Amino acid sequence: MKTETTIQGLSASLNPARSARKIIGFVPTMGNLHEGHLNLVREARKLCDVVVVSIFVNPIQFGPNEDFDNYPRTLEHDSHLLAEVGCDIVFAPSVEQMYGKYPRLTNISVGEITEDLCGLQRPGHFDGVAVVVTKLFNIVQPNFAFFGQKDYQQLAVIKQLVRDLNMPIEVIGVPIARAEDGLALSSRNGYLSEQERQTAPVIFNSLTTAADDLHAGKTLLNVLQQIRKSLTDAGLVVDYVEARSPTLQKVEQFDQDVVLFVAAKLGKTRLIDNLQVKYSA
Amino acid sequence: MKTETTIQGLSASLNPARSARKIIGFVPTMGNLHEGHLNLVREARKLCDVVVVSIFVNPIQFGPNEDFDNYPRTLEHDSHLLAEVGCDIVFAPSVEQMYGKYPRLTNISVGEITEDLCGLQRPGHFDGVAVVVTKLFNIVQPNFAFFGQKDYQQLAVIKQLVRDLNMPIEVIGVPIARAEDGLALSSRNGYLSEQERQTAPVIFNSLTTAADDLHAGKTLLNVLQQIRKSLTDAGLVVDYVEARSPTLQKVEQFDQDVVLFVAAKLGKTRLIDNLQVKYSA
């Protein structure tokens, strides 16, 4: 496995693969990798000849009061994990390598679906994601790109971006990896105290209960209220509990497939999760 | 020369060239071609193995009161001209082919340099240009792209866009093609009456006079006022007369290379022109 820290170095490393028209798979990450990320790499390994993983904590997707400075940077450990699951090239550029010395003027906005859910509390977040992903796509030029369904809204935003701009890339969403007790794996889980970690599975439990209740005939409004109550009772501060269509359109009733979304603070840690609920008439 | 009207057809046509790693040159146009466009194609022909010219009147770069509906569409004539100068593939998609049936949510803005000069009178114009050029770049995936210096601000915007988003494309600016009397060639010149056409060279004449005057020691402010007066005296309605640095930064004095910009209406036709003036201490 090679590690490249410059755009030029990465291009040189990828050039033989490009010349041979090999299938390039790309997994963009911010590092501090867990099984969720490794699943993305395993999926890429299955479909592609060459697997590139980027590790870049992207400053422009963090708000001024968010955890950019403290976001865990664990490149050495990440590299060991990536080598084990068959990554070919790690791309770990500096901020200067990605954003250069001159001011960036270009912004990309993916419109209304970025203003909802996490976009409400994190203005500009998805613009920052869209810009860095577009940059990374142009640098790596992959055939396939892999994103986790845990950041469901991010995945929807990237799919929309790729479609709207005719990027020659297929975006693949990979199911959420969970701990045995159901907690969705996240780099931010490392911020939780032992006690908070024991409380956190209430998020997934409330989502699965909601799915069962929907199938048993309860209303969408009712189950959303029930999720909110379960989280609040467990001591979480709810940011949102919402239902959307798979393409993030608002839904009033459970008369189609829906995705249930939760964002909540547990202590100082903001956690998100989601669950797709299939409709059958 | 092939003509393709679908993205899929174009991809199929380009696939052999891509597999053989040939150099692809791309000239995006809105058709109604003149010598200025043909110069871009000739330049592409010199540098590239395969030359693709797109002809697409892009609705999203026209304002609600602009000439989208009436913009001249002359595909057959354009095709004859392109065949003569060695174009390999004409890409002439429909609006539906480019923008599809579903709503586009993604917008691209190139910031402050799009809000100046033509951007002031044409809000959203350069966003529309940035979006369509990004789409076309992703569809054609050229190594080189050619733009005329007549639309100097557009060229600067595209260069900024490509740099900011790490697009793997080299953008080449080609000097303005002019009629014998100096009028910059433009598809919109066809809107001019015979009398207006005789008046129009005042734009270029006032620019060259200004360049001479700058070299003779007149101030920037003075020559800008003089251009404005010449145009007004000739019956044009000035939109702007401005000086900028080559990267479109504001300049106060002629103590560096400058570009002089004019936009003015002659009857109902809006004409633009510019002239680069070299500084030597």
Side-chain angles (χ1 to χ4, degrees), chain A residues 106-107 109 135 138 164 166, chain B residues 106-107 109 135 164-166:
Chain A
T106 304
N107 189 43
S109 156
K135 286 168 73 75
N138 283 326
D164 282 349
N166 302 87
Chain B
T106 304
N107 190 44
S109 157
K135 286 167 73 73
D164 282 349
L165 297 182
N166 302 87

Side-chain angles (χ1 to χ4, degrees), chain A residues 7 15 18-19 21 102-111 135 138 141 160 163-168, chain B residues 7 15 19 21 102-111 135 138-139 141 160 163-168:
Chain A
I7 294 167
N15 214 31
R18 278 201 231 292
S19 290
R21 304 279 283 168
Y102 42 78
R104 174 181 59 92
L105 301 181
T106 304
N107 189 43
I108 302 176
S109 156
V110 189
K135 286 168 73 75
N138 283 326
Q141 299 168 52
Q160 184 80 37
R163 192 172 72 169
D164 282 349
L165 297 182
N166 302 87
M167 294 178 181
Chain B
I7 294 168
N15 213 32
S19 289
R21 306 278 284 169
Y102 43 78
R104 174 181 59 91
L105 300 182
T106 304
N107 190 44
I108 302 176
S109 157
V110 189
K135 286 167 73 73
N138 283 327
I139 292 166
Q141 298 167 52
Q160 184 79 37
R163 191 172 72 167
D164 282 349
L165 297 182
N166 302 87
M167 295 180 181

Side-chain angles (χ1 to χ4, degrees), chain A residues 103-152:
Chain A
R104 174 181 59 92
L105 301 181
T106 304
N107 189 43
I108 302 176
S109 156
V110 189
E112 59 201 40
I113 62 171
T114 67
E115 288 155 18
D116 194 16
L117 302 172
C118 282
L120 278 172
Q121 287 292 321
R122 306 187 73 186
H125 168 69
F126 287 111
D127 291 11
V129 170
V131 167
V132 80
V133 167
T134 301
K135 286 168 73 75
L136 289 167
F137 280 1
N138 283 326
I139 291 167
V140 178
Q141 299 168 52
N143 303 86
F144 294 90
F146 299 82
F147 292 83
Q149 287 174 359
K150 166 148 177 298
D151 296 305
Y152 191 99

Side-chain angles (χ1 to χ4, degrees), chain B residues 8 16 26 30 65 103 106 148 156 167 197 205 220 232 251:
Chain B
Q8 215 177 359
F26 178 45
M30 299 210 301
N65 299 315
T106 304
M167 295 180 181
R197 177 64 191 79
N205 292 340
L220 204 47
T232 309
V251 289

Side-chain angles (χ1 to χ4, degrees), chain B residues 59-232:
Chain B
I60 69 166
Q61 74 187 66
F62 287 79
N65 299 315
E66 293 182 1
D67 54 350
F68 173 69
D69 287 334
N70 299 321
Y71 198 88
R73 284 145 173 103
T74 56
L75 182 58
E76 203 174 330
H77 184 61
D78 292 343
S79 296
H80 286 299
L81 296 174
L82 289 174
E84 278 172 23
V85 290
C87 167
D88 296 303
I89 303 175
V90 178
F91 179 50
S94 64
V95 170
E96 199 196 323
Q97 186 65 209
M98 286 299 286
Y99 290 107
K101 288 170 188 171
Y102 43 78
R104 174 181 59 91
L105 300 182
T106 304
N107 190 44
I108 302 176
S109 157
V110 189
E112 59 201 41
I113 62 171
T114 67
E115 289 155 19
D116 194 16
L117 302 173
C118 282
L120 278 172
Q121 287 292 321
R122 306 185 73 186
H125 168 69
F126 287 111
D127 290 11
V129 170
V131 167
V132 80
V133 167
T134 300
K135 286 167 73 73
L136 289 167
F137 281 0
N138 283 327
I139 292 166
V140 177
Q141 298 167 52
N143 304 86
F144 294 91
F146 299 82
F147 292 84
Q149 287 174 0
K150 166 149 177 298
D151 296 306
Y152 190 100
Q153 188 178 10
Q154 172 177 278
L155 173 61
V157 167
I158 302 296
K159 281 182 173 171
Q160 184 79 37
L161 173 74
V162 164
R163 191 172 72 167
D164 282 349
L165 297 182
N166 302 87
M167 295 180 181
I169 294 169
E170 189 167 334
V171 174
I172 307 223
V174 177
I176 300 175
R178 297 184 180 280
E180 276 189 22
D181 59 12
L183 178 64
L185 299 190
S186 165
S187 299
R188 291 192 171 98
N189 292 351
Y191 297 153
L192 299 172
S193 71
E194 203 172 319
Q195 201 191 325
E196 286 167 349
R197 177 64 191 79
Q198 283 177 22
T199 302
V202 68
I203 298 173
F204 182 60
N205 292 340
S206 69
L207 286 169
T208 51
T209 302
D212 292 344
D213 288 349
L214 281 176
H215 283 129
K218 285 202 186 170
T219 66
L220 204 47
L221 189 63
N222 191 277
V223 305
L224 294 176
Q225 283 170 337
Q226 186 54 50
I227 295 170
R228 189 176 282 271
K229 183 170 185 312
S230 303
L231 299 177
T232 309

